[in-house]
């Protein structure tokens, strides 16, 4: 069937900010969808509040609305753009939820908008547990016994009926938020209460737990002629009980015979047909009893998902792109397989390698949270690896994770009881514990009994461990035979791990390997197991005979990607890498991408000319560089991951283009950086370096408290703290020395009440041009990634900005920056201090690009390749006449017991952007996009430390001005009353009921302003912040943010309903 | 132990042995199915061939007694990337290697199977020798180069049953295995050119009385059973060499509703006056898209053939009903006026997707139960776990 001609304009809904459970895989799917629909000639309207995405680049849609994804805003956009259809299956749960709201509120009908891909009935059938259960029963599939409950009383009844263990899942939350498994009645009560709180509809599904069953996922596609194909099967390494996003997963399924696999396939076909997903992709999850093959269906996502992204990367079959084409009426046989060109998309990919995905966790950021994996997702990113065997793929995946592991390092610290416990209870370290258990002689059966990990997986790990002991028994590298070395590499052993086992250096292993001719070959991911010729060089390494993708003789540049997402390094860096690939392709280079993150746009096979899906380690990157022999390698776009490799690559003679690794080191190395600052006559906060507790004490004696302490070479403010007491300093230093003895600790004088400023700039050999100056809304001390910011600055005067520009230019010149540079300043009492300089792409590059309409990453890539800014036509800073605000989004709700206070260690997972003519509108939009609903009526609960009372006065006057009332804890309320402002007093929690939390629970509190100074006050008010979080009451923990909120509240109606596209702002029509 | 795979064109792959020790010669082909190595191993259509699996991890689920497609393995040798010897599956009875050893199939693992596949794709399927232990590689290549090709050899008659029997078990079901079928439905005479059990199970499951007959059964003997339908099975090798069957089918043409699968489809085409040809490397896998030219529907099919029907050779009255979307080769034939049809692929799957399964029902619907209940007169019964294995 030809594509539909009755549709002209199609609206695509993005997924909004990166949160746990919804990450950049939806940028990948949305970007593919935008491209596919534009390619077919449709006018594309996009809504997505996330500025860090590729899809929100103005070129990808005809109309790009970086606006909050709300019913009101979407309605405004629909009224303005009059789309014929809305595609809701590309933006995760967020987009589906919006589609449901738009349909149920009658907006779609009113404006004649058709839902394509999945209609309302299909979405509801898949999403509503009761409807889903009924549908599944109709086609003969069973779900685990369950009941839907809306109260504790109903819950207890269901518990009695079904019996423990029970899994409790709140309705309509993302990534399984609030889900838990209860094994005792006490746990049941606790978890159910939490689940009901989490659910926006106060409902939870209580379900028989089938922990220990094998879990499978199938990715399915259907076209409107009812052709259905399976794209990929995935088997979870972790048994049921761990969220699939937190599970190590393997493609294809490994431990099913054809008969058993076909049961899943038949069921999947029946499910997608019964649910009624007319066109596009769906993900269906099953559990299989390993004892008898009994099957239950777990769930179905009637949309592309995280697993779709993984399946696309695992097979080379672009699910999202094809789903978009199916949505506009094409059928699978009318779409050609890009990779083979000759054959159609109406087939099932077959793969001739093994794919392993391992999630990346971030428990170190939330020390109060327990490292325990459940049915609620907690990982923030993932790495994928491809190998010809599971062993190779698994070991490549381990080193791709970048958590300091090159393979199965021993865990001598664990005793047997701890090993048993860690095997029994899934956690982020379990895979290494399995290795350790095998090393200590645990049988495969015993490990299975403790962990339910399939013996096939454990058996493969045993082969790795057995080989480790063989290797350790060899008398050093020289005594290792070529056959042993080759066999080890075929098992996926990293040079680094081999060097541990052979007691030599990694370099020695590499050199011995090269000398003996043990080098990787590269094979193609081709969807068809080599049955047809492939035309897209999507490559992975392995140790076999044939290399099937010899390098070309074109001039080429390699771009190193950012690896798995983590807090502090995420989609923003992928955005930069993708732009570098686009820009250099335009400039005539062959572009080569290296990355191992399956969620990204950079790992799409059509983003660059050649894609190496490989770990970003020195070994793997060097192997690629050696064969490709590029004109240059770009390390400054992928965040800290490639940057860490820069020096070692340069030492191996690799041409690093852009700012030199030496300049990068001058900026990163504190002692060398101090010299730069001194030479330029600039100021930085007084500082020192300490390697011991004593040295730290000396530095602090000189600087005075408070100070900011951190290890050198970190991203995302890892282990960065503000120290106000000597005891805290000693404790911090003792820990730091223990965990990283090689790196000194940097100690800076902490500037209280300073305003922080972020600057992105771009430099060539002739000039420096400012990309954007951003003023942080939170005071200094809050990590820049966690702070909201405004472009242009809202309070800095012109003279200060001018001086900031001058200083930026001076540093760029001194450091001979070629490409991007980010500087952080602090402005305190009119003085400007340089906090840090990063001669590389920063987290704010995509935001600045959206705010100014200038694609900084593209320009920087071309500058690095030798063009000048003058040639590229970018010689002057763009200063928009509108205001853009970036706001951070946090994962606190996923980590019960974790405080929500912001500090120097970054904790946000994503960001949103609000744009408006005035700051208040932009801020309110950003807040709304981040999920914070500002209201202009009701009461504001205030509880602030003494230093903040002056500021509070201004804020409260503003609040009173818009008609809001005030409620305060004793000290704060007395102060306000003393100033003539009416403020009701409420008890602190420890003063007894009715207290602050009761007031919040009663629903009359519209907003909370809470700051605290002393650790006691922090502890005291912890439950206040946590309660606000759980009740989704806007809460501000700095006065600056509270002041911004007041401005936002005043303009909140405008912010909620006025939609403007990026194209309008950039063309000056707003 | 070492193992060596030597191709007629001189390409050598050196790996490790598994399964039986010894030497085997055959045409090397590759199969792209990711599951179902047991069914592939026991598919008689692989007689005369050495099979390389493109999926690298093989042996994970071992061998069980339920998933047999015939009495035992027919392929000459098995080629895999990574062989797994300690199966993990609740139905597994023994390891793949132990089974191959027991049944005399030589295997090689730890070779670059993708390189082999690409070699076959570029240069075509060819004669190959697989040998375990110490070998003279030059000799192996010579042996491979002088081995007879599959063209012109009647392999089907060799793998066919020696005597007729009744098939009495149905499809495998989770938890139940294969049930015995008690049928009084239409009687299907199935000519066995190397028939896969799952075809028989499908027919039995629908209620057919299935009588399996040797490939060389004469038309008179077939008609003596007074069958309600004729089934032409899959099988190995060159269809054009199965002369007696071609003439039998030609003689029976018009007498009975007829359904042919794979080799049976090719024999039907030849019997009606069409031609077949050898393909470069054939279709072997579970993901081949087939377009139904009548309905526009697409089936994802299981396939295993190295020969194909030449569309241009077909006589009037016979038409192409289905084509392969990858290379537009003939996948199905129909007759303008008679209840006669055939497909090149495997609706019985096993291994592979079940999309085409309704074809059995379509055949069944063409059958009218006329034959007497005892028309199959005293043939022995066979089926899964009843006497056939």
């Amino acid at each position: 069937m030809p594509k539909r001609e009755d549709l002209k304009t199609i609206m695509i809904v993005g997924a909004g900010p990166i949160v746990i459970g919804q990450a950049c895989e939806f940028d990948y799917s949305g970007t593919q969808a935008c491209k596919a629909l534009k390619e077919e000639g449709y006018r594309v309207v996009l809504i997505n509040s996330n500025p860090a995405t590729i899809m929100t680049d103005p070129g990808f849609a005809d109309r790009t609305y970086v606006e909050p994804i709300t019913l009101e805003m979407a309605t405004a956009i629909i009224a303005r753009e009059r789309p014929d259809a809305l595609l809701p299956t590309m933006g995760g749960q967020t987009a589906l939820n919006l589609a449901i709201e738009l349909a149920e509120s009658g907006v779609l009908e009113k404006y004649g908008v058709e839902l394509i891909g999945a209609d309302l009935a299909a979405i509801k059938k898949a999403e509503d547990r009761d409807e889903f259960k009924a549908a599944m029963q109709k086609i003969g599939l069973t779900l685990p016994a369950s009941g839907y409950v809306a109260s504790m009383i109903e819950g207890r009844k269901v518990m009695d009926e079904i019996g423990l263990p029970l899994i409790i899942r709140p309705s309509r939350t993302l990534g399984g938020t609030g889900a838990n498994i209860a094994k005792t009645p006490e746990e049941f009560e606790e978890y159910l209460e939490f689940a009901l709180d989490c659910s926006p509809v106060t409902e939870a599904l209580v379900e028989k737990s089938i922990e220990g069953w094998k879990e499978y996922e199938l990715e399915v596609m259907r076209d409107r002629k009812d052709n259905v194909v399976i794209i990929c099967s995935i088997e979870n390494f972790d048994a049921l009980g761990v969220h699939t996003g937190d599970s190590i997963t393997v493609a294809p399924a490994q431990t099913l015979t054809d008969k058993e696999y076909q049961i899943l396939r038949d069921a999947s076909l029946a499910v997608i047909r019964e649910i009624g997903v007319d066109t596009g992709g769906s993900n269906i999850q099953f559990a299989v009893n390993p004892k008898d093959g009994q099957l239950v269906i777990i769930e179905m996502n009637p949309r592309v998902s995280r697993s779709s992204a993984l399946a696309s990367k695992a097979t080379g079959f672009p699910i999202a792109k094809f789903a978009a084409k199916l949505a506009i009426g094409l059928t699978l046989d009318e779409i050609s397989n890009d990779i083979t060109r000759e054959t159609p998309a109406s087939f099932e990919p077959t793969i001739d390698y093994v794919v392993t995905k391992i999630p990346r966790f971030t428990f170190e950021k939330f020390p109060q949270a327990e490292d325990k994996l459940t049915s609620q997702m907690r990982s923030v990113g993932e790495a994928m690896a491809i190998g010809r065997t599971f062993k190779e793929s698994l070991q490549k995946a381990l080193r791709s994770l970048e958590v300091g592991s090159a393979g199965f390092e021993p865990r001598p610290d664990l005793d047997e009881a701890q090993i048993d416990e860690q095997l029994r209870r899934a956690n982020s370290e379990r895979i290494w514990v399995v290795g350790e258990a095998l090393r200590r002689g645990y049988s495969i059966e015993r490990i299975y009994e403790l962990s339910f990990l399939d013996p096939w997986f454990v058996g493969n790990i045993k082969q790795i461990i057995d080989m480790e002991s063989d290797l350790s028994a060899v008398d050093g590298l020289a005594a290792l035979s070529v056959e042993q070395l080759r066999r080890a590499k075929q098992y996926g052993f990293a040079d680094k791990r081999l060097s541990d086992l052979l007691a030599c250096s990694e370099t020695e292993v590499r050199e011995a390997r090269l000398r003996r001719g043990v080098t990787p070959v590269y094979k193609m991911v081709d969807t068809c197991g080599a049955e047809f010729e492939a035309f897209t060089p999507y490559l992975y390494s392995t140790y076999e005979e044939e290399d099937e993708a010899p390098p070309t003789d074109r001039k080429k540049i390699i771009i190193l990607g950012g690896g798995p997402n983590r807090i502090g390094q995420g989609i923003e860096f992928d955005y930069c890498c993708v732009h570098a690939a686009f820009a250099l392709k335009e400039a005539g280079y062959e572009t080569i991408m290296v990355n191992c993150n399956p969620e990204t746009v950079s790992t799409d096979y059509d983003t660059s000319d050649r894609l190496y899906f490989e770990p970003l380690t020195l070994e793997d990157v060097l192997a690629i560089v050696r064969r490709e022999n590029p004109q240059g390698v770009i390390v400054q776009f992928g965040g800290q991951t490639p940057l860490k490799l820069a020096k070692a690559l340069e030492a191996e003679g690799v041409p690093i283009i852009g700012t030199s690794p030496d300049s990068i080191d001058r900026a990163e190395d504190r002692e060398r950086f101090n010299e730069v600052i001194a030479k330029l006559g600039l100021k930085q906060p007084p500082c020192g370096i300490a390697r011991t507790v004593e040295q730290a004490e000396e530095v602090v004696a000189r600087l005075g408290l408070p100070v900011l302490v951190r290890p050198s070479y970190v991203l995302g403010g890892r282990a960065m703290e503000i120290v106000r007491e000597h005891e805290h300093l000693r404790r911090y230093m003792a820990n730091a020395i223990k965990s990283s003895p090689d790196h000194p600790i940097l100690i800076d004088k902490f500037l209280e009440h300073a305003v922080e400023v972020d600057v992105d700039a771009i430099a060539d050999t002739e000039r420096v041009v400012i990309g954007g100056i951003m003023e942080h809304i939170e005071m200094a001390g809050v990590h820049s990634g966690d702070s909201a910011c405004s472009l242009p600055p809202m309070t800095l005067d012109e003279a200060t900005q001018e001086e900031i520009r001058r200083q930026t230019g001076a540093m760029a010149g001194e450091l001979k920056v070629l490409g991007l540079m980010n500087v952080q300043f602090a402005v305190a009492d009119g003085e400007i201090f340089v906090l840090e300089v990063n001669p590389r792409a920063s987290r704010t590059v995509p935001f600045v690009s959206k705010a100014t309409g200038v694609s900084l990453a593209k320009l920087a890539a071309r500058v690095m390749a030798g063009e000048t800014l003058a040639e590229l036509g970018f010689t002057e800073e763009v200063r928009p006449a509108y205001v853009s605000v970036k706001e951070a989004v946090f994962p606190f709700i996923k980590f019960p017991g974790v405080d929500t206070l912001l500090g120097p260690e970054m904790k946000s997972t994503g960001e949103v952007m609000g744009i408006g003519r005035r700051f208040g509108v932009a801020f309110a939009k950003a807040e709304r996009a981040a999920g914070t609903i500002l209201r202009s009526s009701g009461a504001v609960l205030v509880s602030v430390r003494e230093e903040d009372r002056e500021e509070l006065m201004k804020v409260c006057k503003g609040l009173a001005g818009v008609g809001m009332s005030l409620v305060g804890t004793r000290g704060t309320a007395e102060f306000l009353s003393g100033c003539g402002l009416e403020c009701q007093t409420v008890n602190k929690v420890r003063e007894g009921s009715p207290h602050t939390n009761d007031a919040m629970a009663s629903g009359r509190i519209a907003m909370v302003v809470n700051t605290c100074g002393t650790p006691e006050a922090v502890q005291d008010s912890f439950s206040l912040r946590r309660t606000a979080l759980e009740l989704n009451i806007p809460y501000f923990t700095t006065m600056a943010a509270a002041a911004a909120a007041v401005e936002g509240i005043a303009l909140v109606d405008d912010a909620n309903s006025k939609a403007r596209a990026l194209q309008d702002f950039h063309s000056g029509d707003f | 132990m070492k193992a060596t795979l030597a191709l007629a064109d001189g390409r050598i792959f050196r790996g490790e042995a598994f399964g039986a020790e010894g030497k085997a010669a055959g045409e090397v082909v590759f199969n792209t199915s990711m599951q179902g190595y047991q069914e592939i191993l026991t598919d008689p259509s692989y007689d005369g061939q050495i099979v390389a699996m493109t999926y690298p991890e093989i042996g994970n689920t071992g061998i069980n007694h339920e998933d047999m497609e015939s009495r035992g393995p027919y392929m000459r040798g098995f080629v895999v990337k990574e062989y797994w010897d300690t199966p993990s599956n609740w139905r597994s009875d023994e390891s793949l290697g132990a089974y191959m050893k027991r049944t005399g199939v030589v295997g090689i693992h730890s070779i670059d199977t993708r390189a082999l596949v690409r070699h076959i794709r570029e240069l075509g399927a060819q004669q190959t020798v697989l040998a375990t232990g110490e070998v003279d590689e030059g000799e192996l290549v010579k042996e491979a180069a002088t081995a007879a090709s599959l063209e012109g050899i009647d392999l089907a008659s060799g793998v066919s049953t020696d005597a007729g029997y009744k098939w009495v078990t149905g499809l495998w079901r989770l938890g139940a295995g294969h049930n015995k079928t008690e049928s009084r439905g239409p009687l299907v005479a199935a000519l066995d050119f190397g028939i896969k059990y799952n075809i028989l199970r499908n027919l039995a499951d629908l209620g057919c009385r299935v009588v399996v007959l040797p490939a060389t059964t004469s038309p008179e003997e077939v008609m003596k059973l007074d069958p309600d339908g004729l089934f032409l099975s899959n099988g190995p090798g060159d269809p054009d060499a199965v002369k007696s069957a071609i003439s039998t089918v030609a003689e029976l043409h018009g007498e009975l509703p007829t359904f042919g699968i794979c080799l049976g489809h090719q024999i039907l085409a030849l019997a009606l006056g069409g031609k077949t040809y050898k393909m470069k490397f054939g279709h072997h896998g579970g993901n081949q898209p087939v377009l139904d030219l009548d309905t526009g529907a697409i089936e994802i099919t299981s396939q295993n053939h190295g020969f194909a029907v030449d569309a241009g050779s077909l006589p009037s009255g016979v038409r192409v009903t289905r084509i392969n979307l990858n290379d537009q080769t003939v996948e199905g034939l129909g007759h303008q006026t008679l209840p006669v049809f055939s497909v090149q692929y495997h609706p019985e799957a096993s291994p592979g997707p079940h999309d085409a399964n309704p074809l059995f029902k379509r055949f069944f619907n063409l059958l009218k139960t006329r034959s007497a209940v005892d028309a199959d007169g005293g043939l022995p019964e066979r089926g899964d776990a009843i006497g056939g294995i």
Side-chain angles (χ1 to χ4, degrees), chain A residues 227 254 257-260 262 265-266 346 348 350 352 388 390-391 454 523 530-531 544 546 548, chain B residues 32 39 55 57 81-82 88-89 91 112-114 118 121 287-289 298 350-352 354-355:
Chain A
N227 296 309
Q254 300 292 344
T257 63
D258 182 64
K259 296 284 175 293
E260 296 141 22
Q262 296 303 336
R265 187 182 182 278
D266 288 345
S346 54
E348 302 197 341
T350 186
D352 56 5
R388 282 278 279 160
F390 172 61
K391 290 181 280 289
D454 192 282
K523 304 238 179 232
E531 184 175 1
E544 279 191 309
E546 184 185 55
E548 61 188 76
Chain B
T32 61
E39 290 89 333
Y55 186 67
E57 297 273 5
K81 162 70 185 165
E82 183 84 350
S88 171
N89 186 280
R91 293 198 297 140
D112 189 341
T113 47
R114 186 168 163 93
R118 284 165 46 85
R121 184 184 82 207
N287 67 345
Q288 298 277 332
I298 295 158
S350 203
H354 299 159
D355 292 13

Side-chain angles (χ1 to χ4, degrees), chain A residues 328-647:
Chain A
I328 47 104
L330 291 173
T331 53
L332 285 162
D333 54 320
E334 289 170 333
I335 302 171
S336 83
N337 180 343
D338 299 339
I339 289 185
T340 59
R341 292 188 192 160
E342 304 284 308
T343 60
S346 54
F347 79 117
E348 302 197 341
T350 186
I351 68 183
D352 56 5
Y353 43 82
V354 180
V355 174
T356 305
K357 170 215 89 176
I358 305 192
R360 168 135 180 171
F361 297 92
T362 189
F363 288 107
E364 76 281 1
K365 291 266 179 185
F366 303 99
Q368 303 101 316
E370 199 182 356
D371 181 353
K372 181 175 133 184
L373 305 182
T374 67
S375 42
Q376 168 186 315
M377 184 168 162
R378 289 181 175 82
S379 61
V380 292
E382 61 194 35
M384 180 184 110
I386 308 175
R388 282 278 279 160
T389 63
F390 172 61
K391 290 181 280 289
E392 181 180 46
S393 142
L394 176 65
Q395 295 219 76
K396 282 175 84 176
L398 286 177
R399 68 177 185 266
S400 298
L401 261 190
E402 271 184 79
V403 291
S405 169
F408 285 91
E409 285 83 6
R411 294 291 309 270
D413 52 308
L414 300 176
D415 62 31
E416 195 165 314
Q418 286 169 316
I419 289 178
D420 285 2
E421 175 60 19
Q422 292 218 33
L423 288 175
R424 202 174 286 126
R425 236 189 35 191
N427 61 81
S428 65
E429 304 269 311
R430 186 161 73 170
I431 181 79
W432 290 278
V433 177
V434 171
E436 181 64 21
L438 290 163
R439 197 173 282 120
R440 299 205 196 167
Y442 279 51
S443 69
I444 292 171
E445 294 70 34
R446 181 166 170 206
I447 292 172
Y448 174 76
E449 277 158 23
L450 290 164
S451 64
F452 297 117
L453 298 175
D454 192 282
W456 187 81
F457 292 122
V458 180
N460 271 283
I461 298 173
K462 183 168 189 320
Q463 288 188 339
I464 292 170
I465 301 297
D466 288 348
M467 183 174 282
E468 287 202 346
S469 72
D470 291 350
L471 290 166
S472 301
V474 173
D475 188 19
L477 187 57
L480 190 71
S481 72
V482 175
E483 290 69 36
Q484 273 174 306
L485 182 57
R486 183 176 297 280
R487 196 83 192 115
K489 294 308 284 183
Q490 286 174 341
Y491 266 49
F493 278 95
D495 286 352
K496 174 81 185 60
R497 184 74 194 121
L498 289 177
S499 73
D500 291 348
L501 295 163
L502 296 163
C504 58
S505 74
E506 183 183 348
T507 313
E508 285 168 338
V509 173
R510 182 167 59 247
E511 283 168 359
R513 199 163 51 69
L514 294 176
R515 232 176 12 247
R516 298 179 196 186
V518 181
T519 52
V521 296
Y522 293 83
K523 304 238 179 232
M524 280 196 206
V525 170
D526 64 2
T527 72
C528 63
E531 184 175 1
F532 305 100
E533 188 180 356
F535 296 90
T536 45
Y538 169 7
L539 307 169
Y540 66 94
S541 72
T542 187
Y543 283 80
E544 279 191 309
E545 263 179 61
E546 184 185 55
D547 191 307
E548 61 188 76
T552 68
D553 51 11
R554 291 178 58 190
K555 58 172 189 169
K556 57 184 78 162
I557 288 178
I558 293 181
I559 301 153
L560 301 183
N565 283 1
R566 64 210 79 165
I567 287 177
Q569 184 173 309
I571 188 171
E572 300 84 354
F573 295 98
D574 199 63
Y575 168 95
C576 291
C577 292
V578 169
H579 274 286
F582 292 161
L584 294 170
K585 198 184 270 193
E586 275 168 31
Y589 288 92
E590 178 176 270
T591 55
I592 300 171
M593 184 73 67
V594 185
N595 201 1
C596 56
N597 181 345
E599 304 176 313
T600 57
V601 176
S602 68
T603 51
D604 251 5
Y605 59 75
D606 57 358
T607 293
S608 41
D609 294 309
R610 283 165 87 85
L611 167 64
Y612 285 90
F613 208 106
E614 288 283 283
L616 286 155
T617 68
L618 183 64
E619 173 188 345
D620 299 283
V621 171
L622 265 183
I624 296 165
V625 172
R626 286 230 157 84
R627 70 193 247 108
E628 289 287 356
N629 200 16
Q631 269 64 43
V633 174
I634 294 184
V635 297
Q636 50 168 263
F637 282 177
Q640 206 66 26
T641 299
L643 219 51
K644 276 194 303 205
L645 300 175
K647 265 178 152 174

Side-chain angles (χ1 to χ4, degrees), chain A residues 21-266:
Chain A
Q22 221 168 256
C24 60
E25 65 268 18
F26 295 110
D27 187 28
Y28 147 80
S29 56
T31 301
Q32 280 203 348
C34 288
K35 273 161 70 177
L37 295 184
K38 282 196 72 160
E39 198 176 286
E40 295 294 340
Y42 296 95
R43 180 171 169 269
V44 175
V45 177
L46 171 69
I47 176 171
N48 191 356
S49 56
N50 185 347
T53 51
I54 297 285
M55 70 193 294
T56 52
D57 262 13
F60 281 88
D62 295 279
R63 304 284 291 158
T64 310
Y65 286 87
V66 180
E67 296 281 15
I69 304 173
T70 62
L71 175 62
E72 201 173 354
M73 192 54 77
T75 306
I77 294 168
I78 288 171
R80 228 173 156 229
E81 300 290 348
R82 302 307 297 263
D84 303 300
L86 185 138
L87 180 60
T89 53
M90 299 292 164
Q93 197 64 35
T94 302
L96 278 190
N97 288 350
L98 178 69
I100 293 175
E101 282 186 84
L102 283 168
E104 291 187 337
S105 62
V107 172
L108 296 183
E109 197 184 354
K110 179 176 171 194
Y111 292 99
V113 184
E114 178 186 342
L115 278 180
I116 55 173
D119 63 16
L120 181 66
I123 296 171
K124 292 197 79 174
K125 223 177 193 180
E127 298 280 304
D128 181 295
R129 286 308 282 196
D130 281 342
E131 279 194 43
F132 184 66
K133 194 172 183 176
M136 292 304 99
Q137 276 164 353
K138 195 173 149 200
I139 54 172
L141 290 173
T142 48
L143 277 80
S146 67
Y148 231 162
V149 306
S151 69
M152 188 58 71
I153 297 165
E154 288 175 25
R156 287 190 195 110
K157 221 177 99 192
V158 172
M159 175 173 71
D160 291 342
E161 278 166 25
I162 304 175
L164 293 165
L166 288 165
I167 178 163
I168 299 151
R169 304 173 197 271
S171 303
R172 292 216 201 159
T173 61
L174 291 179
T177 301
N180 274 299
I181 293 170
K183 290 174 181 155
T184 65
E186 293 73 36
E187 280 179 345
F188 180 78
E189 303 237 333
E190 182 192 334
Y191 296 154
L192 180 58
E193 191 176 341
F194 179 59
L196 293 174
D197 283 350
C198 285
S199 166
V201 287
T202 322
E203 264 175 348
L205 181 79
V206 175
E207 183 181 87
K208 182 75 183 175
S209 164
I210 47 173
E211 241 186 327
W213 286 28
K214 288 142 76 105
E215 195 171 354
Y216 294 91
E217 285 181 72
L218 271 70
E219 291 300 317
V220 193
M221 292 201 86
R222 184 185 189 205
D223 70 19
R224 69 164 163 162
K225 278 197 323 198
D226 194 29
N227 296 309
V228 183
V229 290
I230 307 290
I231 306 308
C232 188
S233 65
I234 299 171
E235 177 163 345
N236 286 11
F237 173 88
D238 299 279
L240 201 84
V242 176
H243 190 281
T244 181
D246 282 356
S247 194
I248 296 173
T249 62
V250 179
Q254 300 292 344
T255 61
L256 293 179
T257 63
D258 182 64
K259 296 284 175 293
E260 296 141 22
Y261 170 73
Q262 296 303 336
I263 294 175
L264 298 188
R265 187 182 182 278
D266 288 345

Side-chain angles (χ1 to χ4, degrees), chain A residues 950-972:
Chain A
E950 284 307 310
E951 278 297 314
L952 182 68
M953 265 290 294
K954 287 186 232 160
V955 166
C956 289
K957 277 185 183 154
L959 290 169
V962 295
M964 298 186 81
S965 61
L966 300 170
V967 179
T969 53
R970 199 159 317 276
T972 309

Side-chain angles (χ1 to χ4, degrees), chain B residues 1-72:
Chain B
M1 192 193 288
K2 281 186 182 147
T4 308
L5 188 74
L7 275 62
D9 64 8
R11 182 92 188 241
I12 304 275
F13 290 88
R14 300 174 191 93
E16 304 289 321
F18 75 114
E21 288 173 29
K23 191 162 77 175
E27 181 189 68
V28 67
V29 294
F30 62 85
N31 187 302
T32 61
S33 301
M34 291 186 285
Q35 291 85 16
Y37 58 81
Q38 177 175 347
E39 290 89 333
I40 291 165
L41 189 66
T42 57
D43 178 349
S45 296
Y46 285 108
D47 186 34
Q49 290 178 322
I50 291 172
V51 180
M53 299 300 290
T54 61
Y55 186 67
E57 297 273 5
I58 299 294
N60 304 0
T61 53
I63 293 284
N64 65 62
H65 64 273
E66 294 178 330
D67 296 350
M68 294 293 170
E69 279 307 319
S70 68
R71 276 167 294 189

Side-chain angles (χ1 to χ4, degrees), chain A residues 754-783:
Chain A
V755 169
E756 255 188 70
V757 180
D758 247 284
V759 177
D760 281 315
I762 182 166
D764 63 11
T765 48
E766 293 165 358
R767 61 165 59 82
V768 181
V769 183
I770 301 291
I773 300 179
M774 292 152 276
E775 180 178 342
H776 288 200
I777 290 167
E778 276 81 12
M779 297 285 182
V782 172
H783 189 277

